Amino acid sequence: MDYPNDQAPGAPVRSGIPEHGRVPKYYAVKARIDRLVGALGEGRAIPTERDLAERYEVARETVRQALRELVLEGKLRRQGRGTVVAGPKLAQPLSLASYTEGVRRQGRTPGRALVTLDRFPCPDVLAAETGLTRGEPVWHLERVLLADDERVGLESTYVAVARIPDLDTAFDPDSSFYAHLAEQGIAFGDADERIETVLATPREALLIGTPPALPMLLIHRVSRDTGGRPLERVRTLYRGDRFSFTTHLRG
């Protein structure tokens, strides 16, 4: 198989060209725009659809399809009526570290915007997942995740009121929930985590500020303290065009 000498490690083999060698026209245009994106740099506007269609001698719909894929992949982003080069994706570690720590390690400023903080009796499904008692009071904390004031995700946390009775008065919703737990003398022991790809609901897309068709990375986490007691149940949506996840494996 013919591998380009300049192929980046981890890139698709032969840049995604099928074995029969017939490349869809939009994909050829996408590859050329992708190279243009790399040369322009973050925040720079790309040429208009009309200009790109003239440059590559294709129909505007062909350019539009190429741009749609680059936007979904997080390489471009819409800004007003134009399209600009997006910054690198946020690499979030798969660990018990908080979102705050992960974003700060990449030189970005983390933040959160409170959507709701309420309490209700623990339903059967949540009790079965976490080991909490059915009917006991549970906090629901929902926040939009921010990175440099850009909305990048939506987080829902469920925790027993008995564990954090003053969450509604002593906790700053813009701060790290894990840091607050540490201040209360509560330490994480272990957690079960599951990741899947989903589409946001219309409400979620509105809160995050994305089109409903944008793929999302959904993480479910159930964690326990060092004594094995139920601690939290978290459901976090991350924008698929702005996040990747990392982990370190040992043999």
Side-chain angles (χ1 to χ4, degrees):
M1 182 176 289
D2 180 25
Y3 289 86
N5 293 330
D6 60 350
Q7 178 172 309
V13 174
R14 298 179 61 194
S15 299
I17 299 173
E19 301 308 315
H20 54 57
R22 295 189 296 274
V23 182
K25 185 176 290 186
Y26 88 89
Y27 189 88
V29 172
K30 174 187 171 184
R32 298 175 75 177
I33 297 175
D34 195 11
R35 289 195 291 271
L36 175 64
V37 166
L40 286 174
E42 181 178 352
R44 295 285 300 277
I46 66 169
T48 64
E49 289 181 3
R50 176 181 295 178
D51 290 341
L52 290 170
E54 291 177 356
R55 177 184 298 193
Y56 302 131
E57 299 180 337
V58 296
R60 288 183 65 176
E61 181 53 40
T62 301
V63 170
R64 196 169 294 130
Q65 184 176 357
L67 293 178
R68 277 198 296 264
E69 289 204 0
L70 289 169
V71 168
L72 286 174
E73 291 174 4
K75 296 177 179 178
L76 295 174
R77 60 182 174 86
R78 305 296 187 187
Q79 182 170 292
R81 300 182 64 181
T83 304
V84 301
V85 178
K89 290 188 177 183
L90 291 160
Q92 187 74 355
L94 288 173
S95 68
L96 282 173
S98 72
Y99 168 79
T100 299
E101 296 171 28
V103 173
R104 281 180 178 161
R105 275 200 293 266
Q106 294 166 81
R108 306 285 295 273
T109 302
R112 297 169 179 82
L114 180 66
V115 178
T116 183
L117 174 57
D118 53 13
R119 54 188 287 173
F120 57 88
C122 181
D124 289 335
V125 174
L126 184 59
E129 282 188 338
T130 60
L132 296 172
T133 303
R134 177 183 177 276
E136 73 169 293
V138 171
W139 289 117
H140 172 222
L141 172 65
E142 185 179 34
R143 299 180 292 176
V144 174
L145 301 177
L146 308 170
D148 290 343
D149 294 325
E150 178 188 12
R151 289 179 285 177
V152 294
L154 182 67
E155 180 183 77
S156 284
T157 301
Y158 302 87
V159 60
V161 173
R163 299 301 300 269
I164 314 289
D166 58 353
L167 189 64
D168 58 339
T169 58
F171 175 62
D172 176 7
D174 186 39
S175 65
S176 167
F177 178 64
Y178 287 7
H180 182 71
L181 290 177
E183 291 170 0
Q184 308 300 310
I186 299 173
F188 282 91
D190 66 286
D192 295 314
E193 201 160 73
R194 176 168 56 90
I195 304 176
E196 58 183 309
T197 304
V198 299
L199 296 178
T201 66
R203 174 181 178 272
E204 290 167 337
L206 183 63
L207 287 170
I208 302 173
T210 58
L214 180 71
M216 296 281 178
L217 296 168
L218 173 60
I219 291 190
H220 302 271
R221 174 184 286 183
V222 177
S223 61
R224 292 162 289 273
D225 63 18
T226 52
R229 297 172 58 202
L231 188 49
E232 61 164 3
R233 200 289 192 203
V234 183
R235 180 186 188 276
T236 310
L237 273 176
Y238 292 98
R239 286 176 52 165
D241 64 335
R242 300 304 297 132
F243 273 91
S244 63
F245 290 90
T246 64
T247 189
H248 177 68
L249 305 176
R250 292 182 181 275

